[in-house]
């Protein structure tokens, strides 16, 4: 055991190394752009130089002079591409802005694609393409004239199906009577996923059959959306995506490039490969939109909350109403008393935002957890004790939690952190020229579930194969699915082969909403149970069966044998031989309670269904407590984060190693969202300025020091058959508030606009 | 060995030094003219005409005809079929394309293939021994779960090997600093530091 592979506690599985580890450290793993196709042509995108207006001219002459140019695709020769439906809920397209013009709806919109025999020629020709525009003044963001604000009520968001804003009691009355109140505004910036793998697509036609190699978090979604876009039968499309080089939500939907590449490959009559540039990635896919928040909290003198009001504002594109509506999650987090929530979307001349790791909770929990810290300061109360005071198994709406280990997380993390040594006075803790600040906040993420199918087979040799079109985007899905099969069928994990990320496999849900293990795992359990039934039925009957007559319920599959309670057993190979088979294969479909009866059919059509979170009979959430230390240099105001500790409870843990990595990576994401990440916007041109990964600050190794993860045992048998709550999107929630709260503790300066920058601390 | 390759063996008489000198003088043209001259004495220089490039990659010689603008990264990925080196930015910001050139870590996206002639190029595919035994750094990355999606990993591992060989893996702070040219969006950083600490001892023993 090591820090990376913690000792399992109760209800936790072994930290077996990643299934795909060897492929990944030897360079053998074939990501989409690594797939070898014969004689590919290369595509290069041209994106718009303005944010709003029209294309007035296209001069292709210079571009066509470049030898090797096969074709140039613009709005003039692509109008038979179908406008597909925008899929705010995950299926379908990431935006309704799909055409290549002539109307320009945002900066960096794809306006042309050049296809040539080599990458070098395609790139040169793309630079030579001359596009003329008539430009109108764009509206960039909240501050700009010409935006349009709408109440987001009734607009479905993926995580929440609320039609009405959550409210209970009379918030205004409760606030007016509250002994202590906080009334504050917060903001979070534009952020881009920036997975290290670029947005690539390779399309190859064999007759009327299309193969798409693209990193995807939802191969069935992509297959069906592309089918609609290029008007072919979905059955003729095969999406291959066994490895994804980071995604974080950016590869969950069909973006405009895919249909275009498929279309081009058909036109030029050979495979076409596109590797979009890093800067193009900022506008041809989605992002986390900037948000604003008005939060009001009221409590009595002892810190018991009596009112919570939260109004959010989110930027979106002109035509699409993407919004994350995190109040649907925050409103359940504590026993608030009266609650009032509302979210508005603000339409601007921007590309359509989309899912980015923990979409609803990251901005909204930041605002709430910051406001709680402000309340604790006003109450002169320890922020942990304030959370304890308002912790409870029922929310303000009378709904119960399936399980809630929040305060256990707080207590274990506080203990490990040394929180009891904290002097609450701002600026009171120093180390030489460094002001030391300690802060904490809650992490929370809804436990979703979704429909999934799975196929499992077991051979007489004890080798097993499991196939599901879910996706390992770095999460460890290959590994934990293999572990589940191994333990269900009683075979060693090394003997389980796992195939994921391919539309030839049984359908699985989008790798979103931290749903993969719950959904795929439930389907795997079902398929394994079917195999066990057949095997065990055979073991207990038939001539010469060593276990003849043993009731089926008393036979288990263990270590490659069927074993009765009394210790008698039969080897798998013998059992198969007696059954006259050398393998048993079972296909299973799992549809969670609360999902529509046609959820499986819809899944095969590329439409995801989500249940869980706050939508079921009980509240189902993963929870955690995060503590961070910041050091602010007294003179330069440089902010460092030398250590962070998080304790998390997320039901059953299948593998402590992959879990640890997910949570550790998540906390680093959280630190980054507090201290580093912001896509800067040119307000005048509605254009992203730092659209590269040197100027868009993602943490480098030297930014990160000690990150400690504590896994808190928790058992919850209500969430789903596997008992897992989902944790890929848990640990980056709340961290930004913990950091900002620590900065306040260090300096006495309350930062309400992320990221925390030196200039704000110089005041 | 690339080290022992004599000047005369270098295709087109082109080596890194003369190429760099040429560019330093603000003229890349002579290079291309040289290459071009091999094919047609009198025709006007066509800057896009393919050039013959000889590379030694993972101990094997490769003869290629390439557009002179082809980067070492695209050469590996698109022309040699070695896709272990990754393109994460194509502009020297992420480190996913890191390979070793004569033992030194180099960003292959910022290196033209023609510049790498006469050198020994090692990619992630050339790190494990031919019998399949992993390099200690590869094993350490597995042991410490020093990756998630794995996309930055080939670059991290090549960089880590060089970091140790450079003598920059003495302390955790050194490792963090000298590994900061390799971005990991999955944020496996603490595990990468742990992996390098494990591997550096084994590399010393070896
Ligand atoms: S691809 Fe070379 S540094 Fe990013
Ligand atoms: S492992 Fe995903 S970017 Fe490093």
């Amino acid at each position: 055991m090591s820090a990376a592979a913690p000792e399992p506690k109760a209800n936790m599985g072994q930290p077996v190394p990643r299934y795909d580890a060897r492929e990944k450290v030897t360079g053998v793993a074939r990501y989409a752009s690594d797939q070898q196709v014969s004689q590919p042509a290369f595509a290069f995108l041209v994106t718009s130089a303005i944010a709003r207006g029209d294309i007035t001219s296209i001069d292709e002459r210079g571009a066509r002079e470049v030898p090797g140019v096969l074709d140039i695709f613009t709005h003039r020769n692509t109008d038979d591409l179908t406008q597909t439906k925008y899929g705010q809920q995950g299926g379908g397209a990431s935006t309704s802005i799909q055409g290549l013009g002539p109307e320009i709806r945002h900066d960096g919109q794809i306006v042309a694609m050049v296809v040539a025999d080599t990458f070098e020629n395609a790139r040169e020709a793309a630079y030579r393409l001359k596009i003329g525009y008539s430009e109108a003044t764009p509206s960039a963001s909240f501050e700009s004239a010409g935006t349009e604000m709408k109440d987001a009520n009734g607009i479905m968001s993926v995580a929440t199906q609320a039609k009405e804003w959550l409210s209970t009691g009379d918030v205004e009355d409760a606030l007016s009577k509250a002994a202590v109140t906080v009334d504050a505004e917060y903001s979070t910036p534009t952020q881009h996923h920036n997975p290290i793998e670029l947005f690539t697509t390779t399309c190859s036609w064999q007759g009327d059959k299309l193969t798409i190699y693209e990193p995807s978090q939802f191969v069935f979604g992509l297959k069906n959306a592309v089918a609609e876009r290029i008007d072919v039968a979905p059955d003729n499309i095969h999406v291959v995506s066994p490895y994804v080089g980071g995604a974080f939500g950016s590869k969950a939907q069909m973006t405009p490039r895919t249909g275009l590449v498929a279309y081009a490959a058909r036109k030029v009559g050979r495979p076409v490969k596109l590797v979009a540039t890093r800067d193009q990635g900022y506008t041809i896919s989605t992002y986390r939109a900037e948000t604003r928040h008005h939060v009001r909290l009221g409590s009595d003198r002892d810190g018991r909350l009596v009112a919570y009001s939260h109004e959010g504002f989110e930027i979106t594109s002109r035509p699409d109403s993407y919004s994350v509506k995190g109040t649907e999650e925050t409103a359940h987090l504590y026993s608030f008393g009266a609650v009032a929530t509302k979210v508005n979307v603000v339409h601007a001349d921007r590309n359509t935002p989309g899912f980015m790791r923990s979409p609803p909770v990251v901005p909204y929990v930041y605002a709430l957890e910051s406001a709680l810290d402000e309340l604790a300061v006003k109450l002169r109360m320890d922020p942990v004790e304030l959370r304890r005071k308002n912790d409870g198994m029922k929310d303000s709406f009378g709904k119960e939690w399936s399980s809630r280990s929040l305060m256990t997380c707080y207590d274990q993390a506080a203990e490990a952190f040394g929180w009891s040594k904290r002097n609450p006075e701002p600026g009171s803790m120093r180390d030489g020229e460094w002001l030391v600040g300690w802060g904490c906040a809650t992490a929370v993420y809804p436990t979703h579930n979704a429909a999934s199918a799975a196929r499992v087979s077991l051979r007489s040799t004890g080798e097993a194969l499991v196939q599901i079109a879910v996706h390992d985007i770095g999460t460890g899905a290959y590994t934990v699915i293999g572990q589940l099969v191994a333990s269900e069928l009683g075979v060693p994990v090394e003997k389980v082969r796992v195939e994921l990320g391919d539309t030839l496999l049984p359908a699985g849900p989008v790798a979103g909403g931290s749903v993969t293990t719950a959904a795929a795992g439930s389907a795997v359990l079902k398929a394994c149970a079917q195999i066990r039934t057949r095997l065990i039925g055979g073991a207990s009957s038939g001539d010469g069966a060593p276990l003849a007559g043993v009731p089926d319920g008393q036979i288990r599959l263990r270590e490659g044998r069927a074993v009765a309670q009394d210790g008698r057993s039969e080897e798998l190979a013998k059992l198969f031989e007696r059954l006259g088979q050398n393998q048993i294969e079972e296909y299973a479909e799992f549809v969670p309670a609360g999902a529509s009866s046609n959820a499986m059919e819809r899944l095969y059509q590329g439409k995801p269904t989500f249940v869980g979170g706050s939508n079921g009979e009980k509240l189902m959430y993963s929870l955690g407590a995060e503590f961070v230390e910041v050091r602010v240099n007294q003179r330069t105001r440089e902010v460092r984060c030398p250590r962070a500790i998080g304790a998390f409870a997320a039901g059953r843990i299948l593998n402590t190693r992959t879990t640890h990595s997910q949570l550790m990576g998540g906390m680093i994401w959280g630190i980054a969202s507090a201290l580093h990440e912001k896509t800067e916007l040119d307000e005048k041109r509605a254009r992203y300025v730092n659209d590269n990964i040197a100027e868009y600050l993602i943490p480098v190794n030297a930014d990160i020091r000690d990150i400690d993860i504590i896994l808190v045992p928790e058992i919850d048998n209500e969430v789903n058959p596997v008992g897992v709550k989902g944790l890929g999107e848990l640990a980056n929630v709340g961290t930004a508030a913990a950091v900002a709260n620590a900065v306040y503790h260090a300096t006495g300066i309350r930062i309400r606009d992320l990221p925390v920058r030196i200039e704000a601390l110089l005041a | 060995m690339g080290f022992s390759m004599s000047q005369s063996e270098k295709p087109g008489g082109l080596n890194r030094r003369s190429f760099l000198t040429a560019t330093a003088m603000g003229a890349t043209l002579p290079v291309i003219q040289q290459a071009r001259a091999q094919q047609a004495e009198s025709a006007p220089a066509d800057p896009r005409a393919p050039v013959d490039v000889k590379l030694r990659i993972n101990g094997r010689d490769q003869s290629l005809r390439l557009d002179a603008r082809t980067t070492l990264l695209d050469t590996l990925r698109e022309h040699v079929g070695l896709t272990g080196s990754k393109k994460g930015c194509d502009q020297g910001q992420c480190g996913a394309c890191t390979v070793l050139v004569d033992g030194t870590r180099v960003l292959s996206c910022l290196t033209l293939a023609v510049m790498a002639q006469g050198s020994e190029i090692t990619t992630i595919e050339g790190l494990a021994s031919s019998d399949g035994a992993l390099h200690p750094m590869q094993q350490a990355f597995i042991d410490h779960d020093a990756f998630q999606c794995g996309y930055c990993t080939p670059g991290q591992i090549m960089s880590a090997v060089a970091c140790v060989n450079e003598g920059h893996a003495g302390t955790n702070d050194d490792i963090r600093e000298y590994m900061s040219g390799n971005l990991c969006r999955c944020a496996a950083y603490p595990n990468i530091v742990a992996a390098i600490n494990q591997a550096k001892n084994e590399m010393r023993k070896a």
Side-chain angles (χ1 to χ4, degrees), chain A residues 249-265:
Chain A
S250 64
K251 296 165 181 171
Q253 289 164 289
M254 181 185 73
T255 64
R257 74 184 192 275
T258 314
L260 190 56
V261 176
Y263 183 88

Side-chain angles (χ1 to χ4, degrees), chain B residues 73 86-97 107-110:
Chain B
L73 176 61
K86 302 300 184 211
K87 186 182 279 192
C89 67
D90 216 14
Q91 52 191 17
Q93 297 179 333
C94 73
C97 63
L107 298 175
S108 62
C109 73
L110 292 189

Side-chain angles (χ1 to χ4, degrees), chain A residues 196, chain B residues 147-153 184-186:
Chain A
I196 299 299
Chain B
F147 55 89
Q148 293 180 40
C149 78
Y151 207 75
C152 71
T153 311
C184 177
R185 187 50 158 161
C186 300

